[in-house]
Amino acid sequence: MTTVFDFSGRNVFVVGGTSGINLGTAHAFARAGATVSVASRSQDKVDAAVRALQAHGGRAAGYALDVRDAGAVEQAFEDCAARFGSIDVLVSGAAGNFPAPALGISPNGFKSVVDIDLLGTFHVLRAAFPHLSKPGASIVNISAPQAFLPMESQMHVCAAKAGVDMITRVAALEWGSAGVRVNSVVPGPIDNTEGMRRLAPTPEAMQLTVDSVPLKRLGTVDHIADACMWLSSPQAEYVSGVVLPVDGGWSLGGASSLGRGLAELMGGNSRR
Ligand code: COA
Ligand code: NAP
């Protein structure tokens, strides 16, 4: 695949970049010439991602860490900056999700998702900031329509991703004067991803999902990668503090009504 973007000589860090949407985004930046680092919990996934990214011909590195561990996140950014220099682009997309009605989410289940998505985003941005190229760096947080559309069986994710978008906006305010732009990308239902396998695990649930999107199709990993690259490119140099849906119109309402449909289809209030 060709790319219209040129990130040659740029240093890109994709947190949660070892599978799905974030790995696709890491590949897109690598194809565009960037040095790409990725991080996630599984050493095997990190190793596989680094090998695959190196196949594009550029440099790549990986860090096995949990974003809930602030010290490990700081260590990774220090190491990355020491190896490759200051960081031009940060994509922060580590997340956890499971569908469950509010009363089927234990306090620890709620906390786990908030700790990964929201606290993890804070850890990542806080650790990255000292190592960002200033001026000129771009941060993209990967959000979700649940951030602004209430969705049944997603109370924990709605709460966490709403917080992520507020982190985006406050960081854009505070860090604009340093020349750091901060934006969120909001993926719609993306084909062949863990997120969709969890939310819509049967063909019927998947069809219901497709029907809920105004464009009547799922998105692709490349749709999200393109948005991350555009937001991080010189063409978007005056764009900051934006929460950008890339979702075929799903966040106009379809995502919210889908929650009810899926709950009915999947048998409502079972815990798992
Ligand atoms: N329904 C209800 N509760 C669930 C659940 C489900 N389907 N899956 C996990 N939980 C609960 C667990 O029971 C536990 O709570 P408890 O201690 O009160 O029993 C809590 O969530 C934490 O589970 P655990 O497996 O220990 O957490 P973890 O930190 O290892 O994993 C998750 C975090 C739960 C978010 C896990 O699904 C994960 O790692 N997800 C990453 C991949 C992913 O979600 N991708 C899609 C991104 S959109
Ligand atoms: P995915 O493949 O499961 O990606 C999640 C990534 O985060 C993985 O690399 C995972 O790797 C990592 N991760 C999870 N918990 C972590 C932790 N505690 N610390 C560090 N890394 C962690 O899921 P996806 O569906 O592609 O989703 C990617 C992003 O898009 C998420 O932010 C999600 O909320 C968002 N999104 C997805 C959709 C969709 O349709 N799929 C829609 C809207 C928004 P490890 O397991 O190795 O940790």
Side-chain angles (χ1 to χ4, degrees), residues 41 68 95-98 104 106 108-109 112 194 198 271-272:
R41 292 166 301 176
R68 290 170 284 194
N97 191 3
F98 53 81
S106 70
N108 190 43
S112 297
E194 183 61 22
R198 286 175 181 229
R271 186 165 183 275
R272 284 165 196 252

Side-chain angles (χ1 to χ4, degrees), residues 152-172:
E152 290 183 39
S153 298
Q154 291 284 274
M155 185 184 277
H156 47 343
V157 175
C158 291
K161 291 290 194 181
V164 168
D165 284 349
M166 274 301 169
I167 285 182
T168 292
R169 294 181 178 110
V170 175

Side-chain angles (χ1 to χ4, degrees), residues 1-226:
M1 181 188 295
T2 56
T3 174
V4 295
F5 298 100
D6 182 6
F7 283 90
S8 308
R10 299 291 170 170
N11 186 13
V12 176
F13 202 127
V14 184
V15 179
T18 63
S19 60
I21 290 171
N22 305 320
L23 177 61
T25 300
H27 274 293
F29 276 107
R31 280 197 300 272
T35 294
V36 180
S37 300
V38 292
S40 81
R41 292 166 301 176
S42 156
Q43 185 73 58
D44 288 348
K45 284 173 70 174
V46 167
D47 292 343
V50 169
R51 277 195 302 275
L53 289 166
Q54 283 169 339
H56 297 291
R59 296 183 297 176
Y63 302 91
L65 57 80
D66 192 316
V67 291
R68 290 170 284 194
D69 180 346
V73 175
E74 278 174 27
Q75 191 64 52
F77 279 102
E78 275 167 27
D79 185 86
C80 178
R83 286 172 80 170
F84 302 133
S86 62
I87 295 163
D88 301 295
V89 177
L90 166 65
V91 178
S92 179
N97 191 3
F98 53 81
L103 299 182
I105 306 172
S106 70
N108 190 43
F110 195 94
K111 181 178 185 305
S112 297
V113 168
V114 169
D115 280 357
I116 298 169
D117 294 25
L118 179 54
L119 193 58
T121 301
F122 174 68
H123 290 160
V124 166
L125 266 62
R126 189 174 182 279
F129 185 79
H131 307 292
L132 294 177
S133 309
K134 296 187 263 307
S138 159
I139 298 174
V140 180
N141 290 324
I142 305 299
S143 181
Q146 290 93 319
F148 45 88
L149 283 180
M151 190 170 178
E152 290 183 39
S153 298
Q154 291 284 274
M155 185 184 277
H156 47 343
V157 175
C158 291
K161 291 290 194 181
V164 168
D165 284 349
M166 274 301 169
I167 285 182
T168 292
R169 294 181 178 110
V170 175
L173 280 178
E174 291 195 5
W175 297 348
S177 59
V180 176
R181 298 182 299 104
V182 191
N183 295 288
S184 284
V185 165
V186 179
I190 303 302
D191 198 13
N192 198 23
T193 58
E194 183 61 22
M196 282 317 298
R197 280 187 282 276
R198 286 175 181 229
L199 280 186
T202 66
E204 293 77 16
M206 198 55 88
Q207 189 56 51
L208 204 61
T209 305
V210 172
D211 291 343
S212 72
V213 181
L215 286 183
K216 302 300 172 200
R217 56 193 158 92
L218 299 177
T220 67
V221 163
D222 284 341
H223 289 142
I224 308 308
D226 284 346

